[in-house]
Amino acid sequence: MEEGKPVAHWKKWIYPVLTSKVDEFHMLGYSRAHEEDIWKCLEKKVWKGKQPDKRLHEIVQDVLHLDSGTYMSYLTVQAYQEDDLLAQVEALRNHLPEEV
């Protein structure tokens, strides 16, 4: 029986499953879904930022059970964080002394 390993260990092994999930989301109308975004969503929303030890079949199950609501929630939070970061960068630029 296979032993559990940190989820990052399995990423290269489950790429076809991630691709399948991308295809599923595309069919549901989420045309910008991408394998890397799905993986990051799993890391943040499902595994809560931890690297739990899991078996290969458990990782596959996590991917296949990821629903579009969880994925969209993740993307929404990411968009707000990126907008906030861009606003902070712009504020810093506006407060820097001009070069001579």
Side-chain angles (χ1 to χ4, degrees), residues 57-100:
H57 73 275
E58 294 173 316
I59 301 294
V60 170
Q61 183 179 12
D62 288 345
V63 173
L64 294 178
H65 282 110
L66 179 66
D67 63 86
S68 60
T70 301
Y71 181 65
M72 290 307 296
S73 172
Y74 164 77
L75 290 179
T76 301
V77 169
Q78 290 304 111
Y80 282 125
Q81 289 175 346
E82 289 173 11
D83 284 347
D84 188 37
L85 179 60
L86 290 174
Q88 291 174 11
V89 168
E90 188 61 31
L92 284 173
R93 283 185 181 160
N94 291 335
H95 289 93
L96 290 175
E98 293 182 27
E99 294 182 29
V100 178

Side-chain angles (χ1 to χ4, degrees), residues 1-54:
M1 181 177 279
E2 72 186 43
E3 63 182 64
K5 296 183 180 175
V7 292
H9 170 81
W10 297 114
K11 185 176 179 182
K12 66 182 176 188
W13 295 95
I14 65 148
Y15 207 80
V17 180
L18 290 170
T19 301
S20 175
K21 183 54 79 169
V22 166
D23 292 343
E24 176 188 331
F25 284 165
H26 284 179
M27 287 186 351
L28 292 172
Y30 302 108
S31 60
R32 293 188 177 185
H34 188 268
E35 290 86 356
E36 193 60 34
D37 288 334
I38 290 172
W39 182 261
K40 288 178 182 177
C41 175
L42 289 164
E43 287 179 325
K44 289 209 177 219
K45 292 287 194 172
V46 176
W47 304 318
K48 310 290 186 200
K50 300 174 185 169
Q51 288 290 318
D53 286 348
K54 291 195 168 220

